[in-house]
Amino acid sequence: MMGAVAPTSTHQPTSLELDSLDPEQAAAVRAPRGPVCVLAGAGTGKTRTITHRIAHMVSAGHVKADQVLAVTFTARAAGEMRNRLRALGLGGEASQVQARTFHAAALRQLKYFWPQIVGDVPWRLIDGKFPLVAQAAQRAGLSSATDSVRDLLSEIEWAKASLIAPEDYPGQVAKQRRETPYDALRVAEVYAGYEKLKATPDGLLLDFDDLLLHTAAALEDYPAVADEFRGRYRSFVVDEYQDVTPLQQRVLDAWLGDRDDLTVVGDANQTIYSFTGATPGYLLDFSRRFPDATVVRLERDYRSTPQVVSLANRVIGVARGRIAGTRLQLVGQRPDGPEPAFAEYDDGPAEATAVARSIKRLIDAGTPAAEIAVLYRINAQSESYEQALTERGIPYQVRGGEGFFSRPEVRQAVSVLRQAASREDLPVESRSGTALVTLVRAVLAPVGLTAQEPAGAQAREKWSSLVALVRLTEELLDHDADLDLAGLLRELAARAEARHPPTVQGVTLASLHAAKGLEWDAVFLVGLADGTLPIAHVLADDGSVGDEAALEEERRLLYVGVTRAREHLQLSWALARGEGKRRTRRRSRFLNGLVPDDSPASRIAAPLADTAPKGIRPSCRVCAKPLIGTYATMLGRCRRCPAELDVELLTALQEWRSEKAQALQVREFVIFTDTTLTAIAEQLPGDDAALAAIAGIGAKKLDQYGADVLAIIASRLRARPQNRR
Ligand code: ATP
Ligand code: MG
């Protein structure tokens, strides 16, 4: 859950109260030293139970705080665990419990033990694996094009996480019937080549997986290291244990040695990282490995209303396979709340607008923005929500990834588009209108915009961002048929500028993967169309199921999403991608049987009142037509409408901004963006009201800088020879 304490009924203990635990939770907390396994569904208090168990063990004197090592999979989850320990009244001791990710823990240990095991051979963490894999690919006679290298890289990562050495790779993929980007022998050759390239004359380069491998090996092969380590750490705790990889398990085993003071908690039905090599097998086999383990099952759901819990049970109730067989029916413990809502929209932009508007209403009615989340399947879906929230002045933060325009691939794409715009050999007619889309595609091709969706999770993410840029271009062209490349670049820059700087108090935008373990009062699950969730590549070309196991993992993603909501939950999808485009999409197959009125004729569309009254769009101050796009809205005029820009005033404003930024120690755009300053220098506002009417200037900025800006304008106007207004 988020750091902030929810104002609703969520119980947050401030001291170690065993009576705030239910009997099963208390059993896990009080279990004697030794193996403990909590197998339970979402929201049943697993994370809460392990933090209480740590606090209990420490305060009862079973173990010292600094002898506990608690591991999770993301830095955020580790931070959350530290927060919860602090909230339990462990005080200063809480900070001595090591709550880390596997990688962070291994990095620390390796730094410490390296001199003992390797002596003075220097090593450092690799900055980017990409160039090395590219080199290895080239040597093996394979393409070193971006997509090819990404695929190879994903394979290498999977193999290392699965503890498969290069020479065993071909045999293992054959055994597991794994699809490989190239012939398995060639992939193995690249993998071996990559491993060799990391041993450079100046020392060893280690990737993240090497950190884990070397840590395990140090403990396995050097008894002195193992003795020292095991004397130091006595008790181990793992959250989200269903997502452990064989490599991480090997590190855990090396930590333990022949001891068994291990507490694990997890939910096999929330396994969502299989593609990285993670497996719920260790969780499900725990009591076979440790026959005297205390095994606890939790069924009471303390997070969500019975309405949300019922939907969650129905989502996972139809899952198939071994994992599904371990599910438990959740029983909601909270008071009733609203029924989850389902909403269908004509197109993606309409969906984003409506969701932003619902969020605004929730905030106006008192739900803190930090208690609201928009969750999607792939990060490229964030752009339209970032835009819709920005347009309504709602602060947000993008989690588990960066904001759309900060992503490396988007920055690279914008930069190659800029280069293209400055090229003189491009014929003018290829730069605007419908030819613009073709041009954008062509320019983005070398950056990774292939015709076919690539394989590999990372490659797909990047590819999807590029596709989102093409879509955005199409959308803008729909509104402005003769948009040109320069205009497109201006719009992209304005959008990037207008986005709020990251804030911790904002609405969370996150992928379903990044939302694991977290909770919010209100959750919007968006873009639930077939081909997005489940994602297209688990389906065969005709839409039938291609990969049964992968389809089940997609279903678990929906389960994870639904179970993030405490109270308000909305599930939505759009029938067309772009505005006015053909309705080629259908809602997710996972929603069949869940949507209340399931007759095809019924539109579960948002109420009509939810579509924007036409007059609300700001209009151009020159031609009075409605304004489309961020750039135009900020300037208050159509891109092509004439404007008189007072260049000297703009320069004066820029100088003022740079002094101010220096004085306040902030970046310039935090004060005003370039577009806002341009708008001021064009519109020459004479008072607070006129200044506030400019997009990008809210009450706070008016308060902080309004007087300064108005004074600069006034003095410039007095100095003007013709003194015009
Ligand atoms: P997930 O599977 O999503 O990681 P989880 O099982 O780890 O969920 P927690 O995050 O620990 O669940 O708990 C869910 C919510 O329920 C939290 O807000 C927690 O404080 C609350 N909670 C857990 N147990 C109790 C309890 N016994 N009484 C009151 N509230 C509880
Ligand atoms: Mg949890």
Side-chain angles (χ1 to χ4, degrees), residues 483-507:
L483 179 78
D484 59 7
L485 186 52
L488 173 66
L489 282 165
R490 262 196 305 271
E491 176 64 24
L492 296 180
R495 282 186 185 223
E497 266 181 21
R499 305 274 156 103
H500 295 266
T503 138
V504 274
Q505 297 306 329
V507 171

Side-chain angles (χ1 to χ4, degrees), residues 348-358 384-385 388 391-392 610-612 617:
E351 184 183 7
T353 304
V355 166
R357 204 168 288 135
S358 303
S384 37
Y385 292 89
E391 279 172 3
R392 276 156 199 81
D610 222 43
T611 47
R617 262 198 187 283

Side-chain angles (χ1 to χ4, degrees), residues 10 20 25 43-48 84 270 303 519 564:
T10 321
S20 70
Q25 292 175 334
T44 52
K46 293 183 297 297
T47 302
R48 193 167 189 264
R84 288 200 192 188
Q270 291 185 69
R303 175 179 294 146
E519 59 187 29
R564 298 309 98 197

Side-chain angles (χ1 to χ4, degrees), residues 375-638:
L375 307 179
Y376 35 76
R377 173 65 180 86
I378 51 170
N379 284 320
Q381 287 170 277
S382 80
E383 205 284 327
S384 37
Y385 292 89
E386 289 182 56
Q387 179 66 11
L389 293 173
T390 301
E391 279 172 3
R392 276 156 199 81
I394 302 170
Y396 66 84
Q397 57 188 326
V398 181
R399 280 201 176 251
E402 290 156 301
F404 185 79
F405 287 105
S406 316
R407 291 180 195 146
E409 68 273 19
V410 175
R411 296 222 300 249
Q412 197 192 355
V414 171
S415 132
V416 294
L417 286 170
R418 250 192 231 123
Q419 282 161 22
S422 66
R423 268 170 49 190
E424 269 147 33
D425 55 339
L426 277 183
V428 176
E429 59 280 9
S430 77
R431 291 164 179 254
S432 67
T434 39
L436 181 62
V437 177
T438 317
L439 175 67
V440 169
R441 280 184 194 281
V443 171
L444 296 187
V447 188
L449 183 66
T450 45
Q452 288 294 313
E453 185 174 22
Q458 281 203 11
R460 270 193 208 110
E461 281 270 353
K462 303 207 156 141
W463 182 83
S464 306
S465 295
L466 300 178
V467 171
L469 272 178
V470 175
R471 293 249 158 74
L472 186 57
T473 309
E474 288 170 341
E475 212 177 284
L476 292 166
L477 270 170
D478 281 346
H479 291 292
D480 178 358
D482 39 43
L483 179 78
D484 59 7
L485 186 52
L488 173 66
L489 282 165
R490 262 196 305 271
E491 176 64 24
L492 296 180
R495 282 186 185 223
E497 266 181 21
R499 305 274 156 103
H500 295 266
T503 138
V504 274
Q505 297 306 329
V507 171
T508 296
L509 300 185
S511 69
L512 290 163
H513 281 102
K516 201 171 63 152
L518 305 180
E519 59 187 29
W520 295 270
D521 285 345
V523 169
F524 293 82
L525 302 179
V526 300
L528 298 179
D530 230 39
T532 303
L533 189 81
I535 200 145
H537 60 84
V538 307
L539 304 173
D541 288 342
D542 60 359
S544 66
V545 176
D547 181 342
E548 189 76 46
L551 183 81
E552 288 305 318
E553 183 135 324
E554 295 290 302
R555 192 194 308 279
R556 291 193 292 270
L557 268 173
L558 178 62
Y559 176 67
V560 167
V562 167
T563 53
R564 298 309 98 197
R566 294 198 194 102
E567 242 181 281
H568 300 275
L569 175 64
Q570 176 175 296
L571 302 93
S572 61
W573 60 94
L575 298 175
R577 286 192 201 267
E579 220 174 310
K581 289 272 155 18
R582 276 192 28 236
R583 296 180 176 179
T584 52
R585 322 205 71 204
R586 340 183 248 126
R587 71 161 190 243
S588 169
R589 64 189 64 200
F590 298 144
L591 300 182
N592 291 348
L594 301 180
V595 181
D597 184 352
D598 233 349
S599 66
S602 78
R603 288 286 317 266
I604 312 103
L608 262 183
D610 222 43
T611 47
K614 289 283 176 274
I616 269 199
R617 262 198 187 283
S619 52
C620 172
R621 68 190 141 83
V622 183
C623 72
K625 286 202 194 112
L627 290 173
I628 307 293
T630 305
Y631 183 70
T633 309
M634 289 180 78
L635 287 186
R637 62 170 170 86
C638 302

Side-chain angles (χ1 to χ4, degrees), residues 177-322:
R177 300 217 191 106
R178 185 178 169 87
E179 238 184 86
T180 57
Y182 294 100
D183 179 76
L185 285 168
R186 311 302 294 282
V187 178
E189 199 181 329
V190 178
Y191 177 9
Y194 164 75
E195 292 298 321
K196 278 208 198 85
L197 284 169
K198 284 187 301 172
T200 73
D202 318 325
L204 291 177
L205 296 174
L206 302 189
D207 61 28
F208 273 134
D209 298 320
D210 295 329
L211 288 181
L212 298 177
L213 274 171
H214 283 281
T215 302
L219 293 160
E220 289 161 0
D221 301 343
Y222 296 83
V225 168
D227 283 350
E228 186 177 346
F229 177 85
R230 291 175 196 153
R232 170 97 180 63
Y233 291 105
R234 297 182 178 272
S235 191
F236 300 87
V237 176
V238 189
D239 197 0
E240 307 271 2
Y241 190 51
Q242 75 278 356
D243 277 324
V244 75
T245 65
L247 173 57
Q248 288 160 336
Q249 180 63 42
R250 176 154 159 203
V251 172
L252 189 57
D253 288 339
W255 284 342
L256 278 170
D258 54 8
R259 302 170 300 168
D260 63 357
D261 208 343
L262 171 65
T263 302
V264 298
V265 308
D267 176 5
N269 283 291
Q270 291 185 69
T271 302
I272 54 176
Y273 281 101
S274 298
F275 62 91
T276 66
T279 158
Y282 301 102
L283 175 70
L284 296 175
D285 291 339
F286 193 82
S287 52
R288 226 161 304 164
R289 175 171 170 196
F290 297 105
D292 346 318
T294 305
V295 177
V296 171
R297 290 191 164 76
L298 308 174
E299 299 188 340
R300 296 187 196 86
D301 182 314
Y302 294 96
R303 175 179 294 146
S304 313
T305 62
Q307 285 70 20
V308 172
V309 169
S310 153
L311 183 66
N313 281 332
R314 280 180 286 148
V315 167
I316 207 66
V318 290
R320 283 179 284 203
R322 175 179 181 226

Side-chain angles (χ1 to χ4, degrees), residues 25-42:
Q25 292 175 334
V29 167
R30 289 211 200 92
R33 280 184 71 154
V36 175
C37 175
V38 179
L39 264 174

